Amino acid sequence: MNKMRKEHNLTKNQKIIFDLIDKSSQPLKAYSILYNVQKKGIKAPLQVYRALDKLVEIGKIHKIESRNAFIACHNSSCQVAKATAFSICEICEKVTEISSAGLSKYLANFKDKDGMKYSKYNLEFFGLCKKCTLK
Amino acid sequence: MNKMRKEHNLTKNQKIIFDLIDKSSQPLKAYSILYNVQKKGIKAPLQVYRALDKLVEIGKIHKIESRNAFIACHNSSCQVAKATAFSICEICEKVTEISSAGLSKYLANFKDKDGMKYSKYNLEFFGLCKKCTLK
DNA sequence: TTTTTAGTTGTTATAATATAACACTATGTA
DNA sequence: TACATAGTGTTATATTATAACAACTAAAAA
């Protein structure tokens, strides 16, 4: 298996689960995914979690840690899940992946007090989305 | 209750649980906290979670979302849990709160594509700590 | 002082999230 | 073919977190 390859051939379960997440307008939770794919033959939590783990690993989806939910990656630059940033609306729970060259660059180069750099990061912003601000 | 006040008078349970977390060199998980405070009369998960919720709310502790664990705040500038950043070692799981004026300023002023600012953020960096880098 | 109020407590039960272990199957490659 | 690697299906279980309700407490208002 060529690790450099960008196109991963998803297996049946991975494809079913990725398609569901990809079509969704908001992040999906593991058990909600499970209920939605039971008619397609995926019966157990573990089948879902295994597919999710793999999809996260190859960067097709991201986990929103503060929500225990999963969202498809629509950011062509993050084929791997190593540098992620999201905005989360605290009212409607809308989540948007942020793709800002400035932000990525700043964080990728950030060094702590000891001068250490880190290989991955995950950033979650919270506040109100445009819609909810206007209400 | 004066919300401006910096010193919150912790209740008995909150104090027991804060002291435990504060003394710990690494983040603690809720059920590990529970086992550790059972001899002090805290018997149920909910008693722990309620104290944790309150302590997070007033900024005495922070939740490390990717680990479902809690760490005491040693950063005098974040009395409220609205702007947090951590480094997490992927080998030894050591977690350190980052307090960098530059980083805070950059993130507090960050605007997304639509020009939206957000009122809170949580950032988690992953990599190797100094010790584990040398191994 | 009495009353009110908000917040905390103790408790049982249960929901939601996630992994262990094992036997088996598919697929690519030597 | 034979081997290695990864994925599957399954049952059981571990881990993380909340619902609901009655009782108690401390501080502020009347």
Side-chain angles (χ1 to χ4, degrees):
Chain A
M1 180 79 82
N2 183 350
K3 293 243 176 187
M4 287 285 92
R5 165 168 63 191
K6 295 230 171 151
E7 266 314 309
H8 288 267
N9 297 313
L10 301 184
T11 64
K12 181 172 132 280
N13 287 1
Q14 288 162 11
K15 191 156 179 13
I16 291 170
I17 287 170
F18 175 72
D19 286 346
L20 182 70
I21 297 173
D22 193 40
K23 280 192 310 240
S24 169
S25 60
Q26 84 259 55
L28 297 179
K29 309 196 128 213
Y31 277 72
S32 129
I33 293 169
L34 177 58
Y35 301 139
N36 274 284
V37 297
Q38 278 179 328
K39 52 191 159 243
K40 302 210 170 168
I42 294 177
K43 291 175 195 156
L46 200 42
Q47 294 174 285
V48 172
Y49 280 103
R50 284 196 285 225
L52 290 173
D53 285 351
K54 189 64 188 183
L55 290 167
V56 165
E57 185 193 325
I58 65 181
K60 301 280 284 180
I61 66 173
H62 302 302
K63 182 172 186 181
I64 310 300
E65 292 287 354
S66 64
R67 300 299 188 258
N68 297 319
F70 299 85
I71 193 177
C73 176
H74 293 300
N75 179 350
S76 59
S77 72
C78 66
Q79 288 291 337
V80 173
K82 68 175 208 289
T84 51
F86 305 95
S87 66
I88 302 171
C89 177
E90 288 183 301
I91 292 185
C92 72
E93 292 291 325
K94 178 181 158 77
V95 173
T96 306
E97 186 166 0
I98 293 172
S99 87
S100 154
L103 180 64
S104 322
K105 201 176 165 192
Y106 185 89
L107 293 177
N109 291 315
F110 178 80
K111 289 176 196 164
D112 70 16
K113 269 184 211 158
D114 298 331
M116 289 287 300
K117 272 196 184 185
Y118 294 89
S119 53
K120 294 190 216 170
Y121 65 79
N122 177 56
L123 170 59
E124 297 180 5
F125 282 105
F126 305 92
L128 302 188
C129 72
K130 229 172 183 176
K131 258 189 181 169
C132 292
T133 302
L134 299 174
K135 274 173 201 161
Chain B
M1 181 79 82
N2 183 350
K3 292 243 177 185
M4 287 286 92
R5 164 168 63 187
K6 297 230 170 152
E7 265 315 309
H8 288 266
N9 296 315
L10 302 185
T11 64
K12 183 173 130 278
N13 287 1
Q14 288 162 11
K15 190 153 179 15
I16 291 170
I17 286 170
F18 175 71
D19 286 345
L20 183 69
I21 297 172
D22 193 40
K23 280 193 308 241
S24 169
S25 59
Q26 84 259 55
L28 296 179
K29 310 196 127 212
Y31 277 73
S32 127
I33 292 169
L34 176 57
Y35 300 138
N36 274 284
V37 297
Q38 279 181 327
K39 52 191 157 244
K40 301 208 170 166
I42 295 177
K43 291 175 195 157
L46 200 42
Q47 295 174 284
V48 173
Y49 279 104
R50 283 197 286 226
L52 290 173
D53 286 350
K54 188 67 187 182
L55 291 167
V56 166
E57 186 194 323
I58 64 180
K60 300 281 285 181
I61 65 173
H62 301 302
K63 181 172 186 182
I64 309 300
E65 293 286 354
S66 65
R67 300 297 188 259
N68 298 318
F70 299 85
I71 192 175
C73 176
H74 292 302
N75 180 351
S76 58
S77 71
C78 64
Q79 288 290 336
V80 174
K82 68 173 207 290
T84 48
F86 305 95
S87 66
I88 302 171
C89 176
E90 290 184 300
I91 292 185
C92 72
E93 291 291 325
K94 178 182 160 77
V95 173
T96 307
E97 185 166 1
I98 293 172
S99 87
S100 153
L103 180 65
S104 323
K105 202 176 164 191
Y106 185 89
L107 294 176
N109 291 314
F110 178 79
K111 290 176 195 162
D112 70 16
K113 270 183 210 161
D114 299 330
M116 290 286 301
K117 271 196 186 186
Y118 294 89
S119 54
K120 294 189 215 170
Y121 64 79
N122 178 53
L123 171 58
E124 297 180 4
F125 281 105
F126 305 92
L128 301 188
C129 71
K130 227 171 184 176
K131 257 189 181 169
C132 292
T133 302
L134 299 174
K135 274 171 197 162

